[in-house]
Amino acid sequence: MSIESSALYDVPGPKALARHRTYGWIVTVLLLGVLAWVIYKLIDTGQFDHDKWAPFEYVGVQKLLLRGLGHTLQVFAWAAVLSLAFGAVFAAGRLSDHRMVRWISGLVVEFFRAMPVLVMIFFIFIAMKVEPRLALISGLTLYNGSVLAEVFRGGVNAVPKGQSEAAYALGMRKTTVMVNILIPQAVRTMLPTIISQLVVTLKDTSLGYLISYEEFLYAGKQIATNLDYSLPFIPVVIVIAPIYIGMCMLLSGLARYLESSGRRRHKTA
């Protein structure tokens, strides 16, 4: 290990490494114990009995879940694209040289960033009488777009000032500097945060359940309310939760792939 990489802490010796391995094993055993206890409780309450899982064998139930999943992905796709566009526009406004544009953009971003997303969805749905799908997309766009606007602004401002100063010294206009110099460098640092916010957007699509939009979670609720045994939501949650987790992990994996790919291209260049 180089001196530079170990300047902030002492390199662990044999005893410290052995102690860290012991801590790791203890934590692993505790986590496995918690997992075993959860599985035991599920078995003890009969959550894996065949009669509780038989409804998922019906084609109608499977189609209901697939339709709900399709609606969730549609809302997420629209909200993701519109949030990125909203964030880009208002980030540009906050970076503008005109004071009034900066003030208005800052006011819009701070207002929607501070407003709870559920309140916005309910306001658009109830007060403005917008249909559930559009109300959900609008609420997600306004909230996540305002967060992304700050991400974009912070990413551009994080680029060393020498980059823009050198470009201005060559006679470039601000738009050219932003598009060709600042944004390409900022994207590499912003990408993990952007994907993380898109993961939040994906999870927040489940709020459509509260305004009766037929998304994935709402489909699970419809199935559970039509089952005639106790704790009907547990098998539904066991089915739905891994799918949500899998979609979020795919987005996180995409972020890691794009980040490593960008680093490789940067090194090659």
Side-chain angles (χ1 to χ4, degrees), residues 218-230:
Y218 187 81
K221 178 223 175 186
Q222 287 183 303
I223 296 169
T225 52
N226 286 286
L227 299 178
D228 57 356
Y229 52 81
S230 62

Side-chain angles (χ1 to χ4, degrees), residues 81-194:
V81 172
L82 294 175
S83 296
L84 290 169
F86 183 99
V89 169
F90 282 93
R94 298 207 69 180
L95 293 168
S96 174
D97 293 331
H98 303 285
R99 180 180 298 178
M100 184 58 67
V101 175
R102 287 200 308 272
W103 185 83
I104 294 174
S105 299
L107 182 64
V108 171
V109 168
E110 293 301 328
F111 175 80
F112 287 119
R113 195 159 65 107
M115 185 67 66
V117 62
L118 186 57
V119 172
M120 287 191 286
I121 292 172
F122 270 120
F123 178 82
I124 296 170
F125 175 62
I126 297 173
M128 302 179 68
K129 299 193 181 301
V130 175
E131 57 101 7
R133 180 170 175 267
L134 185 57
L136 181 58
I137 292 173
S138 300
L140 293 177
T141 297
L142 293 174
Y143 174 74
N144 292 287
S146 60
V147 173
L148 287 172
E150 284 298 283
V151 172
F152 294 156
R153 185 177 70 91
V156 171
N157 287 335
V159 177
K161 292 187 179 295
Q163 302 284 333
S164 56
E165 291 172 353
Y168 290 136
L170 293 173
M172 293 184 180
R173 292 179 177 271
K174 183 173 182 178
T175 304
T176 306
V177 174
M178 289 286 293
V179 172
N180 295 330
I181 296 176
L182 297 182
I183 292 178
Q185 295 184 66
V187 165
R188 286 196 294 272
T189 59
M190 293 188 298
L191 191 58
T193 308
I194 292 172

